[in-house]
Amino acid sequence: MGLPALEFSDCCLDSPQFRERLKSHEAELDKTNKFIKELIKDGKSLIAALKNLSSAKRKFADSLNDFKFRCIGDAETDDEICIAKSLQEFAAVLRNLEDERMRMIENAGEVLITPLEKFRKEQIGAAKEAKKKYDKETEKYCGVLEKHLNLSSKKKESQLQEADNQVDLVQQHFYEVSLEYVFKVQEVQERKMFEFVEPLLAFLQGLFTFYHHGYELAKDFSDFKTELTISIQNTRSRFEGTRSEVESLMRKMKENPHEHKNISPYTMEGYLYVQEKRHFGTSWVKHYCMYQSESKRITMVPFDQKSGGKGGEDEAIILKSCTRRKTDSIEKRFCFDVEAVDRPGVITMQALSEEDRRLWMEAMDGREPVYNSNKDNQSEGTAQLDNMGFNIVKKCIHAVATRGINEQGLYRIVGVNSRVQKLLSILMDPKTAETEDEICAEWEIKTITSALKTYLRMLPGPLMMYQFQRSFIKAAKLENQESRISEIHSLVHRLPEKNRQMLHLLMNHLANVAKNHKQNLMTVANLGVVFGPTLMRPQEETVAAIMDIKFQNIVVEILIENHDKIFNTVPDMPQSNSQLLLSRKRSTDSKPPSCSERPLTLFHTVQPNEKQENRNSVINSSLESVISSNINSFVHSNSTPQSNMNSSDPDLEVIKPNRPNSLPQNPSPTSPLSPSWPMFSAPSSPMPTSSTSSDSSPISSPFRKARALYACKAEHDSELSFTAGTIFDNVHPSQEPGWLEGTLNGKTGLIPENYVEFL
């Protein structure tokens, strides 16, 4: 129930009911005053807490910004670069958000605290002062009235008249004060309805502005979040493969550490205890010693493994002779004496074991140490790149292509080892090879794929050769994608003819496998993980070499994606042909482009008739063999790779399209599809290929909902970025062939047609 109204007419009567109504108004003002006082206190606490929160978040952002990822190896993949810069991106978002929060905090005092304090002091305070005056006048009026009524009637008429006049004046003044007090009380009651609530509304508006700014930041951050999510998934996948390789190397090192020594510029190196003469006798000081047989130079570094610090300056001597110490000539075991050309006397050293002493003695006698450089499979050397080898690979590829191209986990799922060895023995038997043209249907696809990979590992050396290992890795580490392709293109044509033919055969097959990735879940990235270590192996197993596996995978991805160009064209072409192949601009006549700007994720499988048309348009068929053979012979006769097309002719304009001008019917997603990855899943059944010219096209009915099958990163402002599973509204055909137009979070943009399924 509301407060009763205070009538001005009641001020004159000053009845008990009027006083009761006035007290209810006074009580409400006291209550309001206390509430505003507490609200101001809580508001100041809130502002202080927001300042502390902002300070803590800024400190957190500074910590993120200061930390720098350092990856293993001398180069980083595109995914690792994206992840490395993510902390700085996070810090920038947090700082931007806290800048807006500080603006809100700075305004909070002005829009909330100051108006409330002003209302409490000026309005409620004025009402309190009026009450004091009213109470004082009431007391004065009552006193004068009582005194006047107590006057004797025997007083003179003039005195009585003067007393009456005085009472009338006091009464009139009391009446005026009463009116003013009632007016002020009711004024404050009415003012609080807006002067009290309005500052609260302004404060909430500041909060809403802050939260809306955060929403806008989240929208701007969504593209990077999508790219980062894909990079994290790819890096996790590579980590699993790298981790298993490192664990395998660790187990080998545990079983036989001497067979896996690192390639070193030194003939022999390791810890030795060197006898040093002191004033109080002799002592044995631990040194890390390095010996080079060519220069006969021994470098000794005093080092304490327990403290992790050097115990003095390095010392280098030139070896003159080395003699084994007899056991009975010294109390220590495993000792030998060294004489130096540039230092008088004999230096006595103690090895760590008898075997260690033997190795040091052999090294210092000028004999090379026995290194076991990356033993391949025990059966290595039985497989060759001869007619039988090509027939074995072709049989395996034919069996996979005809019977198992859609099997999930193709080449990733391994067969039973005993069955694999049995199949290989049959395939490598000359008698069986002559009588059987195909592999029997009784053999499982996983056994055939494992046999193919095992045969490639059984070759005397990796298919892409030890001597080109570092060159291929360096090519994969180049920053520009076209430079990577160009360099790998040149390196492939430096391989021996048999190696290149086998690699060409294999890449054609893997491109066909990747083309069916919706069914078999083997994307280009997945195939790179499987075949990278098989086709490229370092000559020495080290942790650094294992860390480069991710770049081996990238090389294989490039070979699969660009197999037609790499194997069917020579690295260095005439200017007109180069312009024809590379200066392709986006046009409405092209097939739907990919929306992923990340390298090494999409591939284009050229159909046979399209391939023939491209080759015929580039070079006349009658001259092709002559030009190819001449340039191939030139390539093989030179030890250095040919320069890429971008540098061969300064006048050649090579335009890199923002998006490839063709998209496969089943496009490879930007992230590998694997059941073990929670964020990306393949459709349970093959999706029909959509076509804008078909009557059965899923886009025949406009303005429908659709779901993304894969994640995608936009290259243009007109495109949409999204993750797998995203739902689009109002999806309908666009004016550009191969693209749909849809709405996501209120934004309308282009979506690759083959990236979605309609709901």
Side-chain angles (χ1 to χ4, degrees):
M1 185 175 178
L3 294 170
L6 297 175
E7 297 293 341
F8 290 128
S9 58
D10 292 337
C11 294
C12 182
L13 296 175
D14 198 16
S15 64
Q17 293 80 6
F18 171 74
R19 288 283 180 169
E20 287 298 324
R21 290 194 294 270
L22 189 58
K23 282 184 179 180
S24 65
H25 280 266
E26 292 171 348
E28 178 64 21
L29 287 179
D30 288 339
K31 180 181 176 182
T32 302
N33 184 49
K34 291 179 180 179
F35 176 71
I36 293 177
K37 191 175 181 179
E38 288 296 322
L39 190 63
I40 292 173
K41 180 181 177 181
D42 294 340
K44 290 181 177 179
S45 299
L46 174 61
I47 292 174
L50 288 174
K51 287 182 178 179
N52 292 334
L53 174 63
S54 181
S55 177
K57 283 194 172 182
R58 284 185 182 278
K59 185 176 180 181
F60 179 71
D62 291 340
S63 299
L64 289 178
N65 188 64
D66 292 341
F67 184 79
K68 298 294 189 295
F69 279 108
R70 297 189 65 185
C71 299
I72 300 176
D74 57 355
E76 298 176 345
T77 64
D78 294 339
D79 293 324
E80 289 172 339
I81 292 173
C82 179
I83 293 174
K85 74 175 183 180
S86 63
L87 297 187
Q88 284 69 43
E89 292 287 340
F90 297 158
V93 170
L94 290 175
R95 285 173 175 170
N96 195 323
L97 194 61
E98 292 315 305
D99 289 342
E100 184 64 25
R101 191 196 303 275
M102 284 306 300
R103 283 191 287 271
M104 179 193 69
I105 293 173
E106 291 170 358
N107 292 332
E110 184 177 344
V111 301
L112 177 65
I113 304 300
T114 301
L116 290 178
E117 287 181 338
K118 182 179 179 181
F119 176 75
R120 191 177 73 87
K121 291 178 181 179
E122 294 183 0
Q123 300 301 323
I124 298 180
K128 285 186 175 183
E129 290 297 325
K131 175 178 171 51
K132 290 179 182 179
K133 186 177 180 181
Y134 175 69
D135 291 340
K136 184 178 179 181
E137 290 298 324
T138 300
E139 185 179 354
K140 180 180 178 181
Y141 170 67
C142 292
V144 170
L145 185 61
E146 289 176 3
K147 184 178 178 181
H148 177 66
L149 293 176
N150 288 331
L151 286 176
S152 174
S153 59
K154 297 179 180 181
K155 293 280 188 180
K156 293 180 179 181
E157 186 64 27
S158 59
Q159 290 178 339
L160 293 175
Q161 185 65 34
E162 183 180 354
D164 291 342
N165 293 335
Q166 184 178 2
V167 169
D168 290 341
L169 289 174
V170 172
Q171 185 182 15
Q172 180 65 27
H173 189 261
F174 168 71
Y175 180 63
E176 292 175 356
V177 170
S178 178
L179 288 173
E180 291 175 357
Y181 179 51
V182 169
F183 174 77
K184 190 63 180 178
V185 168
Q186 293 195 121
E187 179 188 23
V188 173
Q189 294 288 16
E190 292 297 322
R191 275 182 175 273
K192 75 176 183 181
M193 299 298 292
F194 55 89
E195 291 198 4
F196 170 51
V197 176
E198 191 175 35
L200 296 175
L201 176 61
F203 177 70
L204 285 178
Q205 182 61 38
L207 280 177
F208 296 151
T209 302
F210 168 71
Y211 290 131
H212 181 73
H213 183 75
Y215 171 74
E216 292 295 331
L217 278 179
K219 285 176 61 179
D220 295 340
F221 188 72
S222 61
D223 290 344
F224 179 75
K225 183 181 71 173
T226 301
E227 180 182 0
L228 181 60
T229 301
I230 296 170
S231 297
I232 290 173
Q233 293 295 335
N234 290 343
T235 304
R236 179 182 285 113
S237 172
R238 289 173 180 147
F239 163 76
E240 293 298 332
T242 302
R243 184 174 182 272
S244 61
E245 294 288 340
V246 174
E247 283 184 338
S248 175
L249 175 59
M250 181 182 66
R251 287 193 295 269
K252 292 178 183 178
M253 293 289 289
K254 285 181 179 179
E255 294 170 0
N256 197 346
H258 294 295
E259 289 193 0
H260 294 83
K261 290 185 177 180
N262 189 19
I263 295 178
S264 170
Y266 300 103
T267 308
M268 184 69 183
E269 58 182 317
Y271 283 100
L272 293 172
Y273 285 86
V274 180
Q275 186 183 48
E276 295 183 357
K277 295 181 180 180
R278 304 288 174 84
H279 296 294
F280 52 84
T282 59
S283 64
W284 295 84
V285 180
K286 195 173 188 179
H287 288 69
Y288 190 81
C289 300
M290 297 160 284
Y291 174 69
Q292 286 182 319
S293 59
E294 292 82 0
S295 61
K296 292 188 174 295
R297 183 184 181 87
I298 304 175
T299 303
M300 299 181 292
V301 181
F303 188 82
D304 184 5
Q305 290 170 287
K306 292 183 290 184
S307 64
K310 293 175 66 174
E313 297 296 327
D314 299 355
E315 183 180 3
I317 59 174
I318 303 300
L319 177 67
K320 181 179 180 182
S321 64
C322 176
T323 309
R324 182 187 301 272
R325 284 292 293 266
K326 295 182 179 180
T327 306
D328 55 1
S329 65
I330 192 170
E331 294 181 356
K332 299 282 187 178
R333 304 170 65 196
F334 320 132
C335 293
F336 56 93
D337 291 335
V338 170
E339 288 186 286
V341 175
D342 50 353
R343 174 174 166 174
V346 175
I347 305 172
T348 301
M349 298 181 175
Q350 182 185 23
L352 304 182
S353 64
E354 184 62 40
E355 176 65 15
D356 190 39
R357 178 169 70 172
R358 183 186 67 80
L359 293 174
W360 278 103
M361 294 291 294
E362 288 182 356
M364 291 186 180
D365 195 32
R367 291 186 294 271
E368 293 289 340
V370 179
Y371 287 111
N372 186 9
S373 299
N374 189 45
K375 287 188 174 180
D376 291 315
N377 194 291
Q378 290 182 351
S379 57
E380 188 174 275
T382 59
Q384 298 293 333
L385 292 177
D386 51 10
N387 289 335
M388 177 181 288
F390 275 87
N391 288 334
I392 291 173
V393 173
K394 288 178 181 178
K395 288 179 182 178
C396 292
I397 290 176
H398 178 74
V400 172
T402 55
R403 293 196 283 122
I405 195 69
N406 293 328
E407 280 204 13
Q408 290 192 359
L410 189 65
Y411 285 108
R412 173 169 279 183
I413 299 176
V414 298
V416 179
N417 186 57
S418 58
R419 297 275 296 167
V420 173
Q421 295 300 327
K422 184 176 180 181
L423 175 59
L424 278 175
S425 63
I426 293 174
L427 292 174
M428 297 175 70
D429 185 354
K431 297 179 180 178
T432 308
E434 293 178 359
T435 57
E436 297 184 6
D437 295 332
E438 296 183 359
I439 299 176
C440 298
E442 66 182 69
W443 296 99
E444 294 179 297
I445 292 298
K446 64 180 181 180
T447 304
I448 298 173
T449 57
S450 296
L452 173 59
K453 291 187 293 183
T454 303
Y455 186 84
L456 293 174
R457 288 193 291 266
M458 288 168 57
L459 294 171
L463 190 61
M464 298 175 72
M465 304 187 71
Y466 289 129
Q467 67 194 77
F468 294 108
Q469 169 78 11
R470 293 308 307 164
S471 299
F472 278 113
I473 295 297
K474 288 181 180 178
K477 292 179 180 179
L478 295 175
E479 293 185 2
N480 182 273
Q481 176 70 353
E482 290 192 358
S483 299
R484 298 175 188 171
I485 297 172
S486 177
E487 185 64 22
I488 292 174
H489 191 181
S490 297
L491 290 170
V492 166
H493 282 263
R494 293 175 60 192
L495 293 173
E497 185 68 24
K498 293 289 186 182
N499 295 58
R500 189 168 68 255
Q501 290 176 358
M502 180 65 79
L503 191 61
H504 187 188
L505 178 66
L506 188 61
M507 291 304 111
N508 281 340
H509 170 61
L510 294 183
N512 187 35
V513 172
K515 183 179 178 181
N516 294 272
H517 68 274
K518 284 189 177 180
Q519 292 77 36
N520 57 40
L521 306 183
M522 295 303 292
T523 62
V524 174
N526 288 346
L527 291 171
V529 171
V530 173
F531 279 91
T534 299
L535 301 179
M536 299 174 63
R537 296 194 302 276
Q539 197 161 6
E540 185 68 20
E541 282 188 281
T542 62
V543 174
I546 292 175
M547 291 300 104
D548 279 341
I549 288 178
K550 55 195 174 188
F551 294 104
Q552 295 176 186
N553 304 345
I554 289 175
V555 172
V556 176
E557 291 177 34
I558 290 176
L559 290 174
I560 297 173
E561 291 171 338
N562 304 275
H563 67 97
D564 188 55
K565 172 185 175 181
I566 290 176
F567 293 99
N568 294 329
T569 64
V570 291
D572 194 13
M573 282 188 162
Q575 178 175 340
S576 58
N577 293 340
S578 301
Q579 290 175 324
L580 180 62
L581 289 178
L582 295 179
S583 301
R584 298 184 298 177
K585 300 182 180 178
R586 178 180 175 187
S587 65
T588 56
D589 296 332
S590 62
K591 291 186 179 180
S594 161
C595 68
S596 171
E597 66 180 5
R598 294 181 58 259
L600 315 178
T601 55
L602 294 178
F603 63 91
H604 175 46
T605 305
V606 183
Q607 300 300 326
N609 57 345
E610 181 185 346
K611 182 192 304 182
Q612 189 62 37
E613 290 174 4
N614 290 342
R615 293 177 63 186
N616 290 341
S617 64
V618 173
I619 191 166
N620 186 276
S621 58
S622 62
L623 298 177
E624 182 178 8
S625 59
V626 177
I627 297 176
S628 300
S629 60
N630 290 342
I631 299 183
N632 277 332
S633 62
F634 174 77
V635 170
H636 290 298
S637 64
N638 289 274
S639 58
T640 58
Q642 297 180 20
S643 59
N644 58 46
M645 289 178 282
N646 293 346
S647 61
S648 61
D649 188 351
D651 297 326
L652 176 61
E653 179 186 3
V654 180
I655 301 175
K656 179 182 177 182
N658 291 330
R659 300 177 289 180
N661 72 337
S662 57
L663 182 74
Q665 290 182 344
N666 296 321
S668 172
T670 55
S671 174
L673 296 177
S674 172
S676 63
W677 295 348
M679 293 195 65
F680 301 93
S681 59
S684 57
S685 62
M687 295 299 299
T689 303
S690 60
S691 172
T692 56
S693 62
S694 174
D695 294 334
S696 61
S697 171
I699 64 171
S700 59
S701 176
F703 301 103
R704 299 171 58 187
K705 285 185 176 291
R707 179 173 57 243
L709 297 174
Y710 317 107
C712 182
K713 175 70 171 65
E715 285 187 341
H716 302 281
D717 294 336
S718 60
E719 301 170 7
L720 294 177
S721 293
F722 49 87
T723 56
T726 300
I727 302 298
F728 303 97
D729 296 322
N730 301 328
V731 180
H732 58 279
S734 71
Q735 295 181 353
E736 183 173 0
W739 289 81
L740 304 175
E741 188 168 323
T743 303
L744 176 62
N745 295 330
K747 178 182 178 182
T748 301
L750 296 177
I751 311 165
E753 178 181 314
N754 292 338
Y755 271 61
V756 299
E757 63 176 355
F758 283 82
L759 302 179

